[in-house]
Structures are given as C-alpha cells and as structure tokens.
Amino acid sequence: MSDAPQYRKPIGTARKFIKRISIDGANYDLCEPSTGDKTLVLKMSKEAGEIDADRKPVNEDAGVYFLARVAIACLNYPGGVRRVFDMDSAEDLAAVKREPWLDEYAKDFGLAFGGKTVEEEKGNSEATPS
C-alpha cells in the first residue's frame, strides 16, 4: 500500500442553495446553477429561437419555454447535488412548461438563476449620513 494521498476531483458538488420549496407535498431545493449551466440554458434558448440577442423572450410562449429551462436548471433534489429534470430532454421541457408550479415559483426560479437585481440588493437601505 502506498501512503500517497488520495485526492478527489471536485466534480458533482452541491450547488449553492437558494430556497426549499414544496411541490405536491414533496420538498425540492432551488439552487443556483453553475456558470456552465447558465450559459447552456441561454445557448439552448437562443438556438430554439426563444430569446433574442438581448436575452428577451420573442413572444409569450417563448418566454414560458425559457422559464421552464431556467426551472429545470435550478430544481434539485434536497441536498443540491442531483437535478430533478434533464436539461437536454425535450420531454422534460414540454412537461415542465405545462406545470402550474412553474408560475407559482417563477420569481424564485429567476432569483436562483440570475441572482438578486441591483434594486433587491439595495433593499430599503439608505445612505448613511457622514
């Protein structure tokens, strides 16, 4: 046996936890996707003609597809290591697009995918007088 240290590759690590949600009585974690997953969502949406060059949905239906892609990238089983849906599955995309919880948690999916807006970060804080 060797006394050489064994190193583990940091692959398949948990994503940054944002919030736990409940869908039909089951708990799921909303996690921030990796940068690679975020760019993949944008690439897939552009290739499908769902978003324009400014990353804006081209119509209402396209906006729902984009939101479904975001939800798929963000929805994980508790612990944040395993995604619930497959990002490459057209069947998963079509199914998620029709789910009522997509609308219910739309704002949360957006927060998990893109982070807080500048306005949300500022909150109600005011400048401290000097």
Side-chain angles (χ1 to χ4, degrees):
M1 286 188 92
S2 171
D3 287 337
Q6 297 294 315
Y7 296 104
R8 181 182 171 276
K9 294 179 182 179
I11 304 295
T13 57
R15 303 297 185 219
K16 179 181 175 187
F17 175 80
I18 302 298
K19 179 180 185 178
R20 179 152 293 165
I21 63 172
S22 178
I23 299 173
D24 287 341
N27 290 327
Y28 299 94
D29 287 354
L30 291 184
C31 298
E32 182 178 348
S34 68
T35 301
D37 287 341
K38 289 178 184 181
T39 57
L40 182 59
V41 166
L42 293 171
K43 177 185 173 198
M44 293 168 85
S45 290
K46 283 181 185 174
E47 288 175 353
E50 298 161 358
I51 58 175
D52 62 20
D54 295 324
R55 299 181 181 168
K56 304 287 183 204
V58 297
N59 58 43
E60 292 81 12
D61 196 50
V64 177
Y65 271 110
F66 179 71
L67 177 59
R69 288 183 196 280
V70 167
I72 288 170
C74 297
L75 195 63
N76 288 263
Y77 290 106
V81 175
R82 203 166 127 234
R83 199 175 279 120
V84 176
F85 298 102
D86 182 354
M87 287 179 56
D88 295 320
S89 170
E91 288 178 14
D92 282 356
L93 179 63
V96 169
K97 179 185 180 262
R98 292 186 300 271
E99 287 298 317
W101 51 259
L102 185 63
D103 289 329
E104 181 180 351
Y105 293 108
K107 185 174 181 179
D108 295 313
F109 291 128
L111 177 64
F113 187 80
K116 293 183 178 180
T117 65
V118 174
E119 292 76 21
E120 289 169 333
E121 281 289 344
K122 287 181 182 177
N124 294 328
S125 64
E126 295 179 19
T128 307
S130 49

